[in-house]
Amino acid sequence: MTRRAVITGIGEAPCGRYPDRAPLDIAISVAEQAISDSGLERKDIDTVIAAPSFADPWFNTDLGFARMVDELSLRHTTDLNCQVNAGGSTGTAILKTAISMVEAGQAEAVLCLHAEKFTTLSGQEGFDFFAKAGIERDFEAPVGMVYNAMPAFVAQRYMHETGATAEDLAEVTVSCREWAMLHPNAMFRKPLTVEEVLNSKVVASPMHSLMLNVLGDGGSAFVVTTEERAKGVQDKPVYVWSDAGTVNTYSFAQHRDLTRMNWAKVANEAYEKARIGPSDVDIVELYMAYPSFHLVLMEEMGFCARGKAGEFYRSGATRPGGSLPVSTFGEAMSYGHIGAGIGLVALVESVRQLRGDAGERQVPDASVILKTSAGGAYADAQITILGKEPR
Amino acid sequence: MSKTTKTGNFAADWWARVSAGERIVQKCNSCGSLQLHPRRRCNSCASDQLDFEAVSGDAKIYSFTEITHAAPSDFVAQMPYVLAIVRLIEGPQILSRIVNSEASELRCDMSVKWTLAPVGDRMLPCFELC
């Protein structure tokens, strides 16, 4: 009998600045939530996969060294503990690993978890971290390369080729904020206008400061098991219909086409494998951490014609109540940037939407979700299509 | 055709030579591909038979941005500065700076030429409008 893996339990911590909450506290909390939500017993978990935690290198090492097996009282019932790091694509990589292991019979129930505590870094320390992570050290760091330059390069080139404006970038930002306002765990939940975004200072032209990310503390977790095992204990499992990806580069400055980055190729492969088209997608859980990428991806993935994404966001289609909700978790800009784990948050949100448990953010009849990720310095393009029924 | 010096440290070699005014990229002796930034292997065919080759210095701005806030510690004093993805007419592309222009004058696809300019206390390859 073919084993089919499902996502069956989720957990999440509020994202923000919590000085008294250690990353271990976050990790235990989200893991316990996910196990409980899965309906499984603690001892049913036989595999633990942790995402990286960048702010605390010793906690990060602990995650690979089975600390969570100890802290969650899973000793002797866990076959394997490991860590999987693909930067911002970590959620995708962990999901693929967990699904494969379960379907191959190498695991029965995989606990996947992430916890991050970025607020221990000062503002300048945060800039310094993101001026090293994913930036080529021998040839690019010496000229002052910074992470914010990446979406800025995309924005400049995209605006040059399509006539889009900074206002389009602001519309994306505001759309994501509207979702975060409905998300109890998001860091930034106050109303935001296009005017406020455009009046904020320019940091890396044409990116204004309110288009950028603030680092937060947070985490999330999920459990993958077989459809059989979930029966009777979790009545709303979520299925992966397809995944597709391509790895383009290490250095961002080596992308040859910043307005495409092979997203169309990856989307077409994901659609084909799932036997759907863009019009079948109910929600796009897009995580790229900056608004300029939204304009590119929505076009390349087939939701808007070339050069028309700004108009699409302006129309309200991507906002609560719109025809094609995008980033209902608020995106990194409004949810808060928690490093490698935003992709896990987007997955947790996808599961809630497909179960009908997204509260005020619930998209009516959400049945098919397209989720994106990219890791490192936008090294790759990853798409996962999820559904509430088997495909 | 210039050969690499045999120090084994291709990064230090490249920086030393371009800081002295040479305009060089890596060339693969196995497949002929040209590349920047310099690497240990040919990015196209994986050969390790790489030498430096002179280029014209002519290029275009593929994209750019002016950094006015949130630079890393070593570069805070240099703000504002313009970072750019510059594409040489010979093909290779590199992250560099645009110097000697106001950011407001710059547009994607403008022609630029390879020059040397101060970056902190070093003279590094940068590009300026033609």
Side-chain angles (χ1 to χ4, degrees):
Chain A
M1 186 163 105
T2 316
R3 289 164 63 95
R4 190 188 336 243
V6 291
I7 306 163
T8 184
I10 54 175
E12 189 177 343
C15 183
R17 179 179 290 275
Y18 296 93
D20 298 330
R21 196 178 66 176
L24 186 54
D25 295 319
I26 298 170
I28 291 173
S29 170
V30 299
E32 287 180 339
Q33 287 175 52
I35 295 172
S36 168
D37 183 60
S38 74
L40 299 176
E41 300 290 324
R42 191 178 290 251
K43 61 175 169 50
D44 296 327
I45 301 295
D46 65 359
T47 304
V48 178
I49 306 180
S53 189
F54 295 125
D56 182 343
W58 290 114
F59 177 66
N60 189 49
T61 302
D62 281 352
L63 291 171
F65 285 15
R67 178 96 186 253
M68 297 312 300
V69 172
D70 183 84
E71 298 284 349
L72 294 170
S73 308
L74 297 175
R75 292 172 64 190
H76 310 303
T77 51
T78 306
D79 295 350
L80 177 71
N81 175 92
C82 62
Q83 192 174 40
V84 169
N85 180 9
S89 283
T90 293
T92 300
I94 290 183
L95 179 63
K96 286 181 79 150
T97 305
I99 298 261
S100 312
M101 288 183 73
V102 166
E103 293 188 348
Q106 293 173 325
E108 288 303 313
V110 186
L111 169 65
C112 308
L113 62 94
H114 169 258
E116 181 62 80
K117 192 167 184 63
F118 268 143
T119 63
T120 51
L121 302 177
S122 69
Q124 188 60 50
E125 283 170 336
F127 303 152
D128 287 353
F129 176 81
F130 278 103
K132 291 195 163 60
I135 286 169
E136 207 288 329
R137 276 179 297 287
D138 291 326
F139 298 101
E140 296 182 347
V143 298
M145 179 57 183
V146 300
Y147 212 90
N148 288 333
M150 300 178 200
F153 286 144
V154 170
Q156 288 282 8
R157 188 72 204 182
Y158 176 84
M159 288 158 68
H160 174 75
E161 295 198 17
T162 65
T165 64
E167 201 190 320
D168 295 331
L169 303 173
E171 290 283 350
V172 174
T173 309
V174 168
S175 175
C176 295
R177 174 62 61 95
E178 291 210 356
W179 286 108
M181 285 167 64
L182 304 174
H183 198 313
N185 289 331
M187 196 164 167
F188 297 103
R189 305 187 58 204
K190 294 206 198 111
L192 184 64
T193 65
V194 164
E195 194 176 62
E196 284 168 335
V197 175
L198 294 176
N199 285 339
S200 64
K201 66 187 185 210
V202 176
V203 173
S205 60
M207 308 296 294
H208 293 250
S209 71
L210 285 173
M211 296 172 184
L212 308 179
N213 298 278
V214 174
L215 303 180
D217 305 339
S220 67
F222 60 94
V223 171
V224 174
T225 189
T226 61
E227 191 179 20
E228 277 308 301
R229 195 65 190 81
K231 276 195 183 121
V233 295
Q234 170 51 268
D235 59 359
K236 293 177 185 170
V238 165
Y239 297 81
V240 172
W241 285 15
S242 69
D243 42 49
T246 197
V247 182
N248 290 311
T249 187
Y250 163 67
S251 152
F252 187 84
Q254 297 286 302
H255 275 288
R256 296 302 286 199
D257 188 342
L258 285 181
T259 68
R260 298 190 195 277
M261 295 178 288
N262 279 319
W263 279 94
K265 178 185 101 160
V266 172
N268 291 338
E269 192 183 323
Y271 290 139
E272 221 172 271
K273 288 204 257 187
R275 289 170 281 123
I276 63 166
S279 61
D280 298 307
V281 174
D282 297 315
I283 305 173
V284 183
E285 294 295 3
L286 200 162
Y287 156 48
M288 289 292 272
Y290 295 95
S292 44
F293 293 103
H294 281 240
L295 301 176
V296 167
L297 266 64
M298 291 300 282
E299 291 173 7
E300 293 303 296
M301 297 192 295
F303 299 111
C304 313
R306 176 76 171 174
K308 297 295 187 191
E311 197 177 293
F312 191 65
Y313 276 85
R314 249 199 308 287
S315 77
T318 61
R319 301 185 189 203
S323 59
L324 184 59
V326 176
S327 307
T328 71
F329 60 98
E331 247 283 29
M333 297 89 76
S334 284
Y335 184 87
H337 202 310
I338 53 172
I342 295 269
L344 281 89
V345 165
L347 180 63
V348 163
E349 178 70 359
S350 300
V351 170
R352 277 199 204 97
Q353 288 281 0
L354 291 170
R355 286 179 180 176
D357 288 347
E360 287 187 284
R361 300 179 313 289
Q362 184 62 49
V363 174
D365 304 317
S367 313
V368 181
I369 295 183
L370 184 152
K371 176 187 169 302
T372 76
S373 75
Y378 300 94
D380 58 343
Q382 303 289 341
I383 289 176
T384 309
I385 296 180
L386 302 143
K388 66 182 187 187
E389 306 288 334
R391 183 67 175 143
Chain B
M1 184 183 308
S2 309
K3 294 285 186 189
T4 53
T5 59
K6 298 300 177 194
T7 65
N9 188 339
F10 70 101
D13 286 350
W14 187 80
W15 280 119
R17 291 174 65 169
V18 298
S19 296
E22 288 191 64
R23 300 181 182 122
I24 50 175
V25 303
Q26 266 182 332
K27 178 172 176 161
C28 175
N29 290 329
S30 301
C31 75
S33 291
L34 302 179
Q35 68 186 23
L36 283 179
H37 51 85
R39 297 174 174 78
R40 287 159 172 78
R41 296 287 184 277
C42 173
N43 214 219
S44 184
C45 77
S47 168
D48 63 356
Q49 299 303 302
L50 298 162
D51 282 329
F52 293 135
E53 176 156 291
V55 287
S56 63
D58 296 334
K60 285 188 187 261
I61 297 175
Y62 180 68
S63 192
F64 67 97
T65 180
E66 183 182 37
I67 305 301
T68 47
H69 293 279
S73 296
D74 293 349
F75 295 88
V76 167
Q78 296 175 29
M79 287 191 288
Y81 55 89
V82 175
L83 292 173
I85 297 175
V86 173
R87 188 172 293 178
L88 306 182
I89 60 168
E90 292 88 353
Q93 192 167 289
I94 191 164
L95 191 279
S96 187
R97 289 204 185 178
I98 308 297
V99 295
N100 303 330
S101 293
E102 292 299 315
S104 55
E105 301 171 54
L106 302 175
R107 300 285 181 276
C108 296
D109 291 343
M110 275 181 157
S111 291
V112 289
K113 58 188 196 303
W114 184 321
T115 183
L116 275 179
V119 175
D121 54 9
R122 304 170 69 185
M123 290 296 281
L124 298 184
C126 297
F127 290 81
E128 60 184 349
L129 292 182
C130 292

